[in-house]
C-alpha cells in the first residue's frame, strides 16, 4: 500500500495540517520513531528522536502543533515532508487505519467469501457481503450483518445478532440470545454470553445452577480482548455501552451494566451485578466487588481493589480505593513499617512501658 | 414453554407449598423481581419489591416461608398465585431448570444429532443419544456417554471418557486420558488435562519439560468455567471431587486433589500439588501456594492469599489468611498508617528521641 | 513402551551412572515415588520414600549421587536396579521424554497425517512430514516446518512460519506475520500475535484503535501455556527469547522484549513495552508495569508487584519489589499493625498527647 502526504491532509484536514516539504511525497509504511523506515511516516509528540528522524530515510513526519516552530527550523533543508497535528497519536490511529489497513486481518480465506466448511444453520441469515471463514458455526436464527467478518472456528449462538462491520476473530464464542453492535471487535478466545456463575445451595450442601436467560448486549464499537468473558445476565441482559474497550483476559460477571467509552486493562475482574458509568479508565489487575455502582469519569490506578461503590468522579488507587495521592502515602508507609515498629519499641523502652508491638 | 402453579407444587412438594390463589394459573416465564413480566414467576427472599410485584402482571410469586403471613394479607385481592418455600433461591434454580430450560443450549445443530462435519475417530465410542456438534473432534478410543452433549469445536482427547449427561460447551478442550463424571458442565475455552507446568533445569540453565501422564478426573456434577485450566497430574491424576463448581478463568495446577462441593470464584489460581477438602468457598481473586493442604468447610474472603496450609474450618481473609474479623482490622490499620507515622514522629519529638520512622 | 536400565545409561552416560543391580532389567513405566508401580522407574532426590520404594515392585531407582552410599547398603539384596545422577529431576525429564513419550500427544488423527477437514490455503507450504489435524486452518502464505504438529482447530495466520518440530496444540491461535522457532510448544487456547491494546482518544472521548503491524517472534524451545496471550508489537515485533517457558493464563503486552530461559508462572501479567533479560524466574500472580526494564538473573517471589525497573540481579518480593528478606519483614509488620496502633495509643495516653492515630 502507498499514499501521499496530500491525500492524508485531504482526508483529515481538521486534524492534520501541512508544515513544510512536498505534499506529493509518496509514503509507503507507518513506522516507529525508534525504528524509522524507508519512505515511512512517523508521528511524534515530543522531540526525543527528532534529530535522528530528520536524518533518516522516512518520507513524512507528523509532529505536535507545539513543535512546529522548532521543527520548521531543523527541517529546512530536509526532503522529509512535515505535517502537524494537535493530537499526533490520534492522527496515527486514523491514518494507519485508513491508509495502511492490515490486509491479512480481514481477507477471506483463499479468496472465498463464505467458506464451504462453515456450518451455517438453515434459519440463519448472512448478509451478502459478510465474510464467513473456515469452520465457523452460525447457529439457528442468528443474523450476520452487512460487512461483518466471522473468523475461523468462531461460534455464533442461536438467535444472536452480529452488527454491521463487526469483526469476530478466530475462535471467539458468542452465546445464544446476544446482540453485538456495529463495528465491534471480539478477539480470539473471548466468550460473550456464556451463562453466569450463579448457584443455589441445598441442605446437603449441593450447589444447583441457576439458568441464565438474559444474554449480553454490546453497543457499537465495543472491543473485547482475547480470552475475555462477559457472562449472560440472569433474566435481563448484561450490557456494555458503545465505545467501551476491554483488554485481554478480563471478566465481567452476570448482570453487568457498563456505560460508554470506558477502558478496562488486562486482568480486570468484575463480579456480578455491577453498574459502571461512562468514560472510566481501569488500569491493569483491578478487581471489583459485586453489587456496587461506579460513577462516570473515574480513573483507577493499576491493582486498585474496588471493594465498595464510588459515587463521584476522581482519580483513585489502593485497596480499598482512596484518592490516588493518598494511596501513594499509604503504600509508602507500608514500606517503612519495620522502621516504625523499631521506633515504637524504642519509645516503649524509654518510657518503661510494656511493649505490645513486638511480635 | 409454559407450566402451571400446580405442576410446580407437584414437582417440588417438599420445597414449595401453595399459599393462596388459583393453582391452575398458567406461568410462562421466570423473571427478575426488579423487572416483572407478563405471566411470569418470581422468587423472593425479602419484601423489597413485594408491593410492586403484587401490582405487576406476573402470574406467580414464590416467597420465603417467613413472609407468608404478611404476603397473605397483601395478596388477598390479587390474581397472582402465591407459593412459599423455605429456600426461594433453591426453588428458583430447580423450577427454572425443570420447567424453563434454555432450549438453544443443547439443541442439535439444524436438528442433526451427530453432525457430519464432526471428526470422530474410528475407535471412539459415542452413545446413540449423544449430541455431537459441528467440527467437534472425538479422538482415538474416547467414549461419549449417554445423553452427553459435545459442542461445536470441542476437542475430546484420546482415551478420555465423558460421563452420561455431561455438557461440553463449544471450544472446550479435554486432553487425553481424562475421566469426566456424569452431568458435568465444561464451558467454552476451558482446558482439562493439558500437561502441567513442570521443568527440570540443566547446567546451562535450559529448562526441560517433564511429561505429565496423570490426566484429570472430574467427579459427577462438576462445573468448569470459561477459560479455566485444570492441568494433568505428573504420574497420578489431578482430581476434582463431585459437585465442585469452578468459575471462569481459574487455574488449578498439576496434581491438585480437590474434594466435593467446593466453590471457586473467578480468578482463583492454585499452584500445583495442593489438597483441598470438601465444602469450601473461595471468593474472587484468590491465590493458593503449592504443596499445601486446606481443610474442609473453610471460607475465604475475596483476594485472600493462601500462602500456607489451613488445618481447621473457619472464615478467613487477608494475606496471609487469618480469621476474617482480624483481617478486617489489619486492613483498616493499613489505611491509617500515614496518621500512625505522624503520631510516632510527634512522640519522638516530644521525648527528644531520634526519629527512625521518617522515611 | 519399555526399555532397559542399560539403554538409559547408554543414552545419558554423563547424567546417569549405574550403581547396583542387573542393567538388563526391563523398565515399563515411569512412576511417582509416592505411588510406585510394577516394573516402574523412580527418580528421587532425597530418602523420604526410599525404604518403601526398595520394597515395592519397581524395576529401577535413580537416586541423587550423594545418596549412593546409603542406597547401596539398603539395596544390597534388592532386585531393583539402582542408578545415580547428580540431577535426578533432570534425569527424569530426559528419560521420560526419550523412552516414555506420550503417544496420544502427537498421534495423527485416525493415522492420517494431513486430515482432509483441515483448511490449508493454496499458497501455504506444509513440510511433507508435518501433521495437520482435523479442522486446523493454515492461512495464506504460512509455512509449516518439518516435523511440526498442528493440532485440531489450531489457527495459523497469514505469512506465519512455524519452526521445525514445534507443537501447536488444539485450538491455539497464531496470528498473521509471526515467527515461531523450532521445538516450541504452544498450548490450547493460547493466542500469539493478536493485535495489542492501544488506542488514541479524541475530543469526544472516543477511543480509536492503533493497528499493530509488528507480529510476534518466538525463539526456539519457547513454551506458551494454555490461554496465554502474547500481543503483537505496534510496528516492530514482540520477541520472546529461546528457551523461555510461560505458564497458563499469562499475558505479555505489545512490544515485549523478553530474553532467554526465563520462567513465568500462572497469572503473570506484563503490560506493554517491557524489556526482560535472561534467566529470570517469576513466581505466580506477578504483575509488571509497562515501559520498564528488568535485568537478567532476577528471581521474583509470587505476588510481587513489579512497578518499577530492576537494574541488578537478585531475589525480590513485595509491592514494590524489594530484596525478598526485607519484603518478609514488611509483610510480617503488616500483620502486627493493630497491635502497633494500640501501643502508640498507650504511649500517647501515657504522655498526655492528643492521639492522631485512632481512626
Amino acid at each position: 500500500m502507498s499514499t501521499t502526504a496530500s491525500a492524508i491532509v485531504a482526508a483529515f484536514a481538521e486534524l492534520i495540517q501541512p508544515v513544510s516539504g512536498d505534499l506529493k511525497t509518496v509514503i509507503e509504511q507507518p513506522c516507529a520513531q525508534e525504528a524509522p523506515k524507508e519512505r515511512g511516516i512517523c508521528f511524534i509528540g515530543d522531540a526525543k528522536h527528532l534529530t535522528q528522524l530528520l536524518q533518516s530515510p522516512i518520507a513524512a513526519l507528523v509532529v505536535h502543533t507545539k513543535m512546529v516552530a522548532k521543527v520548521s527550523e531543523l527541517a529546512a533543508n530536509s526532503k522529509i515532508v512535515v505535517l502537524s497535528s494537535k493530537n499526533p497519536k490520534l492522527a496515527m490511529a486514523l491514518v494507519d487505519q485508513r491508509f495502511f489497513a492490515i490486509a491479512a486481518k480481514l481477507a477471506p480465506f483463499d479468496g472465498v467469501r463464505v467458506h464451504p466448511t462453515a456450518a451455517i444453520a438453515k434459519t440463519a441469515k448472512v448478509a451478502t457481503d459478510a465474510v464467513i471463514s473456515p469452520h465457523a458455526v452460525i447457529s439457528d436464527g442468528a443474523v450476520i450483518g452487512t460487512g461483518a467478518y466471522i473468523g475461523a472456528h468462531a461460534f455464533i449462538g442461536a438467535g444472536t445478532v452480529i452488527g454491521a462491520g463487526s469483526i469476530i476473530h478466530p475462535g471467539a464464542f458468542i452465546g445464544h440470545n446476544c446482540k453485538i453492535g456495529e463495528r465491534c471487535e471480539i478477539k480470539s478466545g473471548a466468550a460473550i454470553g456464556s451463562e453466569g456463575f450463579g448457584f443455589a445451595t441445598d441442605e446437603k450442601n449441593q450447589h444447583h445452577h441457576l439458568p441464565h436467560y438474559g444474554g449480553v448486549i454490546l453497543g457499537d464499537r465495543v472491543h473485547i480482548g482475547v480470552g475475555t468473558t462477559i457472562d449472560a445476565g440472569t433474566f435481563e441482559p448484561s450490557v456494555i455501552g458503545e465505545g467501551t474497550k476491554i483488554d485481554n483476559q478480563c471478566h465481567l460477571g452476570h448482570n453487568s451494566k457498563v456505560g460508554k467509552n470506558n477502558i478496562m486493562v488486562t486482568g480486570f475482574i468484575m463480579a456480578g451485578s455491577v453498574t459502571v458509568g461512562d468514560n472510566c479508565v481501569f488500569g491493569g489487575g483491578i478487581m471489583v466487588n459485586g453489587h456496587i455502582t461506579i460513577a462516570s469519569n473515574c480513573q483507577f490506578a493499576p491493582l486498585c481493589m474496588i471493594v465498595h461503590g464510588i459515587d463521584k468522579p476522581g482519580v483513585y488507587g489502593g485497596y480499598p480505593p482512596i484518592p490516588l495521592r493518598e494511596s501513594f502515602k499509604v503504600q509508602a508507609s507500608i514500606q517503612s513499617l519495620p522502621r516504625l515498629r523499631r521506633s515504637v519499641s524504642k519509645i516503649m523502652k524509654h518510657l518503661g512501658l510494656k511493649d505490645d508491638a513486638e511480635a
Side-chain angles (χ1 to χ4, degrees), chain A:
Chain A
M1 266 171 275
S2 81
T3 186
T4 59
S6 63
I8 287 172
V9 170
F12 302 104
E14 211 188 324
L15 185 64
I16 305 175
Q17 292 84 32
V19 172
S20 65
D22 183 358
L23 286 179
K24 288 188 299 257
T25 301
V26 171
I27 299 165
E28 291 188 350
Q29 58 183 329
C31 57
Q33 55 179 313
E34 301 86 355
K37 288 185 180 158
E38 193 130 357
R39 283 185 283 281
I41 181 168
C42 255
F43 301 78
I44 60 174
D46 60 50
K48 202 172 161 194
H49 296 90
L50 181 58
T51 314
Q52 301 97 299
L53 283 170
L54 288 173
Q55 290 161 2
S56 79
I58 62 171
L61 184 61
V62 184
V63 304
H64 194 284
T65 310
K66 70 185 177 194
M67 298 165 67
V68 166
K70 181 175 187 177
V71 176
S72 296
E73 203 176 314
L74 287 170
N77 298 316
S78 169
K79 282 185 175 175
I80 296 170
V81 58
V82 177
L83 311 173
S84 76
S85 173
K86 61 192 171 184
N87 188 341
K89 192 176 177 187
L90 179 61
M92 179 165 92
L94 298 183
V95 168
D96 285 3
Q97 284 180 16
R98 170 76 167 270
F99 294 102
F100 304 103
I102 300 171
K105 190 171 167 181
L106 299 180
F109 187 89
D110 261 352
V112 180
R113 199 181 54 75
V114 176
H115 200 268
T117 61
I120 301 174
K122 289 167 194 163
T123 56
K125 286 179 189 164
V126 176
T128 52
D129 62 348
V131 172
I132 312 290
S133 304
H135 308 309
V137 172
I138 317 290
S139 304
D140 224 39
V143 177
I144 310 299
T146 182
Y149 177 92
I150 310 296
H153 311 121
F155 177 89
I156 311 297
T160 283
V161 176
I162 307 295
S166 281
I167 304 172
I168 313 299
H169 283 270
F173 168 92
I174 321 282
H176 49 79
N177 196 22
C178 292
K179 190 174 176 322
I180 308 299
E182 303 190 355
R183 284 165 295 146
C184 288
E185 189 157 355
I186 316 286
K187 307 294 276 293
S188 177
I192 308 300
S194 184
E195 284 186 272
F197 192 72
F199 293 88
T201 303
D202 69 18
E203 287 166 355
K204 297 175 194 158
N205 204 35
Q206 292 191 0
H207 312 297
H208 301 267
H209 192 246
L210 296 161
H212 280 62
Y213 304 94
V216 172
I217 295 177
L218 303 188
D220 296 340
R221 292 174 295 103
V222 168
H223 177 108
I224 304 289
V226 181
T228 284
T229 53
I230 316 281
D231 280 358
T234 315
F235 296 110
E236 303 296 316
S238 301
V239 179
I240 311 294
E242 63 180 58
T244 285
K245 311 294 184 183
I246 308 178
D247 203 350
N248 295 355
Q249 301 189 44
C250 297
H251 169 75
L252 285 78
H254 53 186
N255 309 315
S256 294
K257 304 286 180 198
V258 173
K260 303 176 186 177
N261 295 331
N262 296 286
I263 286 189
M264 292 151 171
V265 174
T266 309
F268 179 81
I269 293 184
M270 188 165 97
S273 303
V274 172
T275 298
V276 176
D278 303 330
N279 306 320
C280 292
V281 177
F282 298 84
I286 284 176
M287 302 207 185
V288 183
N289 215 346
H291 299 270
I292 65 172
T293 295
I294 296 173
S296 291
N297 302 305
C298 289
Q299 292 180 36
F300 298 92
L303 302 170
C304 186
M305 299 293 130
I306 309 176
V307 292
H308 55 61
I310 300 290
D311 57 12
K312 55 181 181 184
V315 183
Y316 299 92
Y319 169 21
I322 53 176
L324 183 61
R325 189 180 288 262
E326 290 174 40
S327 82
F328 287 152
K329 283 185 204 162
V330 170
Q331 193 62 34
S333 296
I334 291 174
Q335 302 311 309
S336 65
L337 255 176
R339 244 186 321 167
L340 190 67
R341 287 175 74 191
R342 286 194 301 273
S343 288
V344 171
S345 269
K346 196 169 165 179
I347 296 168
M348 300 296 271
K349 198 169 288 176
H350 179 87
L351 295 174
L353 295 174
K354 191 175 168 323
D355 190 349
D356 293 337
E358 285 298 307

